[in-house]
């Protein structure tokens, strides 16, 4: 077999494709025929790293300068992409044809069996996620109630403030240590989990993100972090737990990344559904914020999975409470929004106030995001090096939170009489019983203690539904400033933590403060202050997360009142617009701070279109390739020396045209299965004898050694490190033609970057092959080539060579 000549020089090309050895310069006549390319060399006399093939057809086209071209992957770390587009190989076509043939005339065929298994799996995902969410809330709420009841008893019954603080500090520190220990066991369980799920659904194969160990540590850790009184929520971790459950339930049946992606999207939707008891909101969250790829069939599947999840929650509630009583006692509820006598929903002129509140919420969210980003960068530089430093940080922040929770009510001992129950609704009467007496006399309550020393769900209900002046101005200002400051420094530490609840709580205090001011100015014909609390909560959360449609529906499902549609839409729209003027949402900020993560946004930034970049400008030119019939030594050395996930298959006997592509996993399986054989005698056709099966290159009806079922990935593909190739096997040959994808997605080198970006992202590719008019591979585009930093460097390189 012919081989391109090589040298001992090692040249790094663009991080994604590393070329070992440099091929000869190549020229083509007008028919695209290769001139002076093939050269016989002995494989055994060359070093291992030279036993490789790289080609660079275009050494000077489109402003290319080999000395200046190469940006490398982000931070020197490379995370593989997922392949959401299946291969169309000959073994795949034969497998599908045999399935269709065997199912002819059968009522219960493979297609119906696949549909049944798919929806049975979705039902299991919903059931398991609903159960996990219920028991997570059950244990955390019991731990929180027991903690605060003990503290209140020490203060009320004996005035033992020191003992009460010691009990509170000890319990909250132990719970925080518990949460941090879970993250120490599995670091991927830290944080919200939503950025990681978004990365996976975008096509980034983050390690261990959906492992069962990660899910268990996430659930146990979030119980600890919420019970520790930290300003965190369970909602983000519920999204992550849904994706873990989806992966765990379907592991044995999933054969490709696309199917796995769809199940994870359904699990994420079920997680939001169980967090807020909002099935439609969960589906819209997966559509708007979670999934980067969507289809009409996925719409119904997420709806189906969310339905099972919410039904499971109701079943557990029925078992735990009265029969059939689901009402407003949900996993997370805002309560029943009713209006006091004489109060109205809102006047038309108040829409202007809601617009201003939305703009202020966007500004608050932008400040929150910027501050948290700076803190995260500081943590990356000074704290995240060791697990010990991260644990100490958790203990320190937990201590600070405990001091603020107990110290602020202690030093601001303002006692107010309990509201009268005579003119209160049943819901308000229940909330009056939850107002904290703290150091006050009987019949009085401490406003700050009622806000700080309570479960987050109870606090947000009190802000939404208590009488207009239950919480005075100073208590709302103090609570808002300290709570949002604590939430800013807490998000990102080594505990599982959600963003929704702290944003909603801080926003509810901010909205109620505005409502009290409006009520003070004009007490007649204005909305009840609970509406202002709701709009404030939506505005602050929208300013941080920049969600619109899904958040509107989630809040509507939590309130159960469709009158708030217009105010919510207006406030969320304004919050998103104003916040986006300064920075992006917090989830994307944390995604871009992760090393090696190359997230493809919905649209390419303007740099590619404004500077007229083509695929030929950004592609990697030196490509490591294999041939349709290749030596075992060449394949083995390529796999050992590079970490590429996909290789072009180039027919060097036919003008170097692109034959197809083949994945790293397939090559590993072929070597592991010893699917190689001996060449025929000299002078005969270049056929291969593999285990007594003659494979004629000109005969399409050959039988492959490895069936498609073996090639189907079950995420246990053998690694090249486990494959052993003897010296005698190195001279054998592998026929790759049955296994390579003969219909790869390609673009011409003159294709605009915008179009290449849209194709790469919309289909979900690992590699996009760039060809010339003769269908010869002139380069490849991978995910890191489409990053803004890489495009900016390509634009500069292009300008230097004009």
């Amino acid at each position: 077999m012919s081989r391109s000549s090589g040298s001992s020089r090692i040249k790094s090309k663009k991080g994604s494709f590393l070329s070992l050895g440099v091929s000869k310069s190549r020229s083509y006549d007008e028919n695209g025929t290769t001139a002076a390319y093939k050269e016989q060399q002995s494989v055994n006399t060359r070093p291992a790293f030279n036993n490789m093939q790289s080609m660079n057809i275009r050494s000077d086209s489109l402003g290319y300068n080999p000395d200046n071209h190469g940006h490398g992957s982000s931070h020197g770390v490379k995370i593989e992409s997922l392949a959401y587009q299946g291969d169309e190989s000959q073994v795949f076509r034969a497998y599908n044809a045999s399935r269709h043939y065997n199912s002819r005339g059968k009522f219960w065929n493979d297609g119906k069996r696949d549909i049944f298994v798919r929806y049975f799996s979705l039902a299991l995902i919903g059931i398991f996620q609903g159960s996990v969410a219920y028991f997570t809330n059950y244990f955390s709420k019991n731990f929180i109630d027991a903690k605060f009841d003990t503290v209140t008893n020490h203060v009320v019954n004996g005035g033992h403030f020191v003992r009460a603080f010691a009990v509170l500090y000890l319990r909250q520190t132990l719970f925080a240590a518990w949460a941090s220990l879970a993250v120490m066991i599995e670091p991927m369980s830290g944080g919200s989990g939503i950025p990681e799920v978004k990365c996976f659904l975008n096509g980034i194969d983050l390690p261990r993100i959906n492992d069962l160990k990660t899910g268990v540590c996430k659930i146990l850790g979030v119980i600890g972090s919420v019970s520790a009184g930290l300003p965190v929520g369970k909602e983000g971790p519920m999204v992550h737990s849904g994706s873990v459950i989806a992966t765990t339930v379907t592991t044995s049946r999933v054969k490709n990344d696309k199917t796995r992606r769809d199940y994870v999207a359904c699990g994420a939707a079920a997680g939001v559904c169980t967090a807020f008891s909002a099935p439609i909101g969960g589906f819209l969250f997966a559509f708007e914020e979670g999934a980067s790829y969507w289809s009409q069939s996925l719409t119904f599947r997420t709806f189906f999975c969310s339905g099972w999840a919410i039904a499971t929650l109701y079943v557990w509630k029925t078992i735990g409470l009265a029969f059939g009583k689901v009402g407003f006692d949900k996993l997370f509820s805002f309560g029943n929004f009713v209006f006091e006598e004489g109060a109205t929903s809102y006047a038309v002129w108040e829409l202007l106030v809601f617009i201003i509140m939305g703009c202020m919420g966007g500004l608050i969210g932008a400040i929150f995001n910027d501050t948290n980003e700076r803190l995260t960068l500081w943590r990356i530089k000074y704290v995240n090096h060791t697990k010990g430093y991260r644990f100490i940080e958790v203990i320190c922040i937990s201590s600070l939170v405990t001091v603020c929770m107990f110290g602020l009510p202690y030093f601001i001992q303002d006692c107010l009489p309990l509201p009268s129950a005579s003119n209160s609704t049943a819901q308000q009467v229940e909330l009056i019983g939850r107002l904290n007496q703290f150091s006050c006399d009987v019949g009085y309550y401490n406003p700050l203690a009622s806000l700080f020393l309570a479960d987050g769900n109870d606090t947000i209900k009190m802000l939404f539904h208590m009488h207009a002046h239950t919480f005075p101005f100073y208590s709302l200002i103090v609570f808002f400033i300290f709570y949002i400051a604590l939430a800013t420094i807490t998000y990102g530490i080594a505990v599982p933590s959600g963003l929704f609840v702290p944003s909603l709580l801080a926003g509810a205090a901010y909205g109620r403060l505005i409502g009290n001011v409006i009520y003070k100015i004009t007490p007649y014909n204005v909305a009840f202050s609970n509406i202002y609390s709701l709009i404030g909560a939506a505005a602050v959360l929208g300013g941080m997360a920049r969600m619109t449609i899904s958040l509107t529906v989630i809040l509507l499902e939590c309130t159960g009142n469709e009158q708030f549609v217009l105010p919510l839409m207006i406030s969320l729209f304004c919050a998103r617009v104003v916040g986006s003027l300064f920075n992006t949402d917090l989830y994307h900020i944390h995604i871009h701070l992760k090393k090696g993560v190359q997230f493809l946004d919905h649209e390419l930034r303007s740099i590619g279109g404004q500077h007229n970049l083509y695929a030929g400008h950004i592609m990697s030119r030196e490509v490591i390739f294999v041939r349709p019939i290749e030596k075992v030594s060449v394949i083995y050395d390529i796999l050992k020396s590079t970490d590429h996930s996909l290789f072009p298959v180039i027919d060097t006997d036919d003008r170097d045209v692109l034959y197809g592509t083949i994945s790293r996993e397939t090559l590993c399986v072929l070597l592991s299965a010893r699917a190689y054989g001996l060449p025929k005698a000299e002078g005969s056709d270049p056929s291969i004898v593999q285990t007594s099966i003659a494979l004629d290159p000109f005969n399409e009806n050959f039988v492959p050694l490895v069936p498609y079922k073996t090639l189907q990935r079950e995420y246990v593909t053998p690694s090249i490190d486990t494959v052993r190739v003897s010296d005698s096997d190195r001279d054998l040959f592998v026929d790759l033609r049955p296994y390579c994808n003969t219909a790869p997605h390609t673009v011409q080198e003159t294709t605009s970057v915008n179009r290449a970006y849209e194709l790469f992202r919309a289909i979900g590719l690992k590699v996009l092959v760039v060809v010339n008019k003769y269908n010869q591979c002139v380069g490849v585009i991978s995910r890191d080539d489409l990053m803004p930093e890489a495009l900016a460097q390509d634009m500069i390189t292009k300008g230097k060579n004009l």
Side-chain angles (χ1 to χ4, degrees):
M1 286 293 173
S2 57
R3 188 87 69 250
S4 62
S5 62
S7 68
S8 61
R9 184 161 64 98
I10 299 178
K11 184 175 182 179
S12 178
K13 294 300 301 171
K14 295 176 67 81
S16 176
F17 278 80
L18 180 67
S19 297
L20 300 184
V22 181
S23 65
K24 289 184 175 182
S25 297
R26 317 177 71 179
S27 59
Y28 291 84
D29 58 21
E30 60 183 1
N31 295 320
T33 304
T34 308
Y37 169 64
K38 299 178 183 177
E39 182 178 329
Q40 283 284 5
Q41 291 187 354
S42 173
V43 174
N44 295 330
T45 60
R46 293 191 296 174
F49 61 79
N50 274 336
N51 191 23
M52 306 185 59
Q53 308 161 134
S54 65
M55 67 187 308
N56 183 352
I57 292 178
R58 296 283 183 165
S59 61
D60 58 352
S61 65
L62 297 172
Y64 168 61
N65 183 349
D67 295 328
N68 293 327
H69 199 75
H71 8 80
S73 62
S74 176
H75 304 284
V77 179
K78 180 184 177 183
I79 298 177
E80 288 293 342
S81 298
L82 299 168
Y84 290 156
Q85 192 71 14
D87 292 342
E88 294 188 11
S89 61
Q90 296 185 21
V91 291
F92 170 74
R93 298 187 184 100
Y95 173 74
N96 278 348
S98 64
R99 288 189 64 190
H100 178 71
Y101 179 82
N102 295 330
S103 299
R104 289 187 308 168
K106 296 181 179 179
F107 173 77
W108 187 251
N109 51 34
D110 289 341
K112 293 180 179 177
R113 184 182 300 109
D114 290 343
I115 293 175
F116 173 79
V117 171
R118 179 186 304 124
Y119 284 97
F120 179 75
S121 301
L122 292 174
L124 286 180
I125 293 170
I127 292 172
F128 284 132
Q129 175 57 32
S131 302
V132 167
Y134 177 82
F135 285 103
T136 300
N137 184 71
Y138 175 82
F139 286 110
S140 61
K141 184 170 180 57
N142 282 321
F143 289 150
I144 292 172
D145 290 343
K147 175 184 65 177
F148 286 135
D149 287 346
T150 303
V151 172
T152 302
N153 288 334
H154 281 300
V155 173
V156 173
N157 296 332
H160 304 296
F161 290 98
V162 176
R163 184 183 302 175
F165 175 77
V167 170
L168 179 66
Y169 181 84
L170 179 62
R171 292 199 179 189
Q172 297 207 149
T173 303
L174 289 176
F175 280 125
W178 168 4
S180 184
L181 180 62
V183 177
M184 292 177 66
I185 297 174
E186 178 48 72
M188 292 302 293
S189 64
S192 168
I194 293 180
E196 289 78 10
V197 174
K198 285 170 68 70
C199 286
F200 178 85
L201 295 176
N202 191 257
I204 303 171
D205 192 11
L206 291 175
R208 308 187 314 278
I209 185 62
N210 290 321
D211 288 357
L212 180 60
K213 177 183 176 183
T214 303
V216 172
C217 291
K218 193 82 170 186
I219 296 303
L220 295 178
V222 75
I223 293 175
S225 60
V226 172
S227 302
L230 297 173
V232 299
K234 302 182 288 289
E235 290 66 34
M238 287 298 102
V239 175
H240 193 181
S241 72
S243 68
V244 172
I245 290 172
T247 303
T248 304
V249 168
T250 61
T251 295
S252 61
R253 291 179 291 274
V254 168
K255 306 299 181 182
N256 55 71
D257 291 331
K258 181 178 183 298
T259 305
R260 185 182 174 204
R261 174 200 70 191
D262 291 346
Y263 280 124
V264 169
C266 295
V272 177
C273 166
T274 55
F276 292 99
S277 296
I280 308 301
F283 150 68
L284 289 176
F285 175 86
F287 175 74
E288 181 184 9
E289 279 295 312
S292 297
Y293 310 92
W294 201 263
S295 63
Q296 186 174 0
S297 59
L298 188 57
T299 301
F300 179 72
R301 293 172 193 171
T302 53
F303 182 77
F304 180 83
C305 185
S306 297
W308 278 95
I310 193 67
T312 303
L313 270 183
Y314 286 170
V315 168
W316 282 114
K317 275 294 183 182
T318 301
I319 295 174
L321 300 174
F323 290 97
K325 182 180 179 181
V326 296
F328 291 96
D329 194 8
K330 306 173 185 176
L331 179 64
F332 186 88
S333 171
F334 293 161
N336 189 8
F337 275 72
V338 296
F339 304 107
E340 295 184 353
E341 184 178 357
T344 60
S345 56
Y346 57 87
V348 175
W349 66 267
E350 288 181 282
L351 295 177
L352 180 60
V353 180
F354 298 151
I355 292 176
I356 298 174
M357 290 180 64
C359 295
M360 293 176 62
L363 182 61
I364 293 171
I367 296 173
F368 182 98
N369 294 355
D370 182 73
T371 306
N372 185 262
E373 181 181 9
R374 295 175 185 272
L375 286 172
T376 304
L377 290 172
W378 180 84
R379 288 190 178 107
I380 293 173
K381 187 175 181 180
Y382 296 105
V383 178
N384 293 351
H385 300 297
T386 63
K387 293 181 179 180
Y389 286 171
R390 302 192 73 188
F391 181 82
I392 294 173
E393 183 192 26
V394 171
I395 299 302
C396 292
I397 291 181
S398 174
S399 302
L400 177 62
V401 170
T402 304
V403 169
C404 292
M405 289 177 62
F406 193 89
L408 290 174
Y410 178 79
F411 288 106
I412 308 177
Q413 295 190 17
D414 185 25
C415 297
L416 301 177
L418 290 172
S420 174
S422 59
N423 58 345
S424 302
T425 64
Q427 181 177 228
Q428 290 175 334
V429 171
E430 180 183 358
L431 292 175
I432 290 173
R434 298 180 184 179
L435 293 173
N436 198 318
Q437 179 181 345
F438 200 60
S439 59
C440 300
D441 297 333
V442 178
Y444 290 82
Y445 71 96
N446 187 312
L448 282 176
S450 301
L451 292 174
F452 277 109
L453 301 177
D455 180 29
N457 197 14
D458 295 338
T459 302
I460 202 167
K461 285 182 179 179
M462 287 189 285
L463 289 171
F464 280 165
H465 303 296
M466 291 304 295
H467 292 279
H469 300 292
T470 303
F471 300 103
F473 292 103
Y474 71 88
S475 63
L476 293 174
I477 293 175
V478 170
F479 177 78
F480 171 74
I481 293 175
F482 278 90
Y483 194 86
I484 199 169
L486 293 173
T488 304
I489 64 175
T490 301
Y491 189 81
I493 64 174
V495 297
S497 57
L499 177 67
F500 279 69
V501 167
S503 303
L504 291 171
L505 268 177
Y510 148 73
R512 192 175 183 93
L513 180 64
I514 300 297
N516 288 351
V517 171
I518 297 295
Y519 188 82
K520 200 76 173 179
I521 297 174
T522 169
Y524 303 103
N525 297 324
V526 295
F528 182 43
S529 59
N530 63 354
I531 297 182
Y532 285 91
S533 297
L534 177 64
I535 300 304
V540 173
L541 178 55
M544 297 177 184
R546 311 289 160 78
M547 296 187 299
T548 53
I549 302 173
S550 58
L551 187 54
T552 300
V553 176
I554 288 173
L555 295 177
L556 285 177
E557 290 186 277
C558 287
T559 59
N561 196 326
E562 70 279 1
Q563 296 184 63
F564 306 137
V565 172
L566 184 58
L568 287 174
M569 290 176 62
I570 291 175
S571 60
L572 288 173
F573 171 79
C574 294
R576 181 186 179 112
V577 171
V578 173
S580 299
L581 294 176
F582 301 97
N583 48 36
T584 185
D585 64 90
L586 191 59
Y587 297 137
H588 276 81
I589 288 175
H590 280 260
I591 287 174
H592 293 305
L593 290 177
K594 296 181 182 296
K595 292 183 178 180
V597 172
Q598 297 154 342
F599 190 88
L600 297 180
D601 293 318
H602 292 282
E603 295 179 355
L604 181 65
R605 295 185 182 180
S606 59
I607 183 173
Q610 289 181 353
H611 297 281
N612 200 27
L613 288 176
Y614 299 135
H617 291 126
I618 69 170
M619 67 184 182
S620 299
R621 279 95 175 160
E622 292 186 8
V623 182
I624 292 180
F625 67 96
V626 293
R627 292 165 294 186
I629 299 177
E630 189 57 88
K631 260 195 172 183
V632 173
S633 59
V634 174
I635 297 176
Y636 184 79
D637 291 342
I638 288 176
L639 295 178
K640 287 290 289 185
S641 304
T642 67
D643 59 356
H644 307 341
S645 58
L646 198 72
F647 300 92
V649 180
I650 296 175
D651 193 349
T652 57
D653 293 324
D654 185 16
R655 301 184 301 172
D656 299 324
V657 299
L658 179 68
Y659 188 88
T661 58
I662 192 166
S663 67
R664 183 184 188 89
E665 292 82 6
T666 301
L667 292 176
C668 288
V669 171
L670 294 178
L671 292 183
S672 178
R674 297 177 58 83
Y676 37 76
L678 297 171
K680 279 191 173 183
E682 293 291 338
S684 61
D685 292 335
S687 303
I688 300 174
V689 179
Q690 301 186 9
T691 317
S692 302
I693 300 178
L695 303 184
D696 188 347
F698 305 103
N699 181 11
E700 296 181 357
N701 299 318
F702 51 81
V703 180
L705 283 178
V706 181
Y708 182 73
K709 283 188 176 182
T710 305
L711 294 176
Q712 282 183 309
R713 292 208 305 148
E714 299 182 12
Y715 305 98
V716 289
T717 303
S719 170
I720 189 60
D721 295 330
T722 64
V723 177
R724 297 292 179 262
V725 176
S726 63
D727 292 338
S728 59
D729 289 342
R730 291 178 65 86
D731 290 329
L732 302 181
F733 289 85
V734 183
D735 194 334
L736 302 178
R737 293 168 299 174
Y739 315 106
C740 66
N741 178 21
T742 56
H745 290 278
T746 62
V747 293
Q748 290 287 325
E749 57 186 338
T750 55
T751 302
S752 67
V753 170
N754 285 332
R755 179 168 295 184
Y757 184 93
E758 292 172 0
L759 179 64
F760 195 100
R761 188 186 184 281
I763 298 178
L765 302 175
K766 276 190 174 183
V767 169
L768 181 60
V769 181
V770 183
V771 298
N772 60 12
K773 62 181 179 181
Y774 304 113
N775 197 36
Q776 295 159 336
C777 177
V778 297
V780 289
I781 296 175
S782 55
R783 181 178 286 262
D784 60 336
D785 298 324
L786 297 171
M787 293 296 102
E789 299 82 4
L791 294 178
Q793 184 175 346
D794 288 322
M795 183 267 294
I796 296 173
T797 303
K798 172 196 170 187
K800 288 182 178 180
N801 290 276
L802 288 179

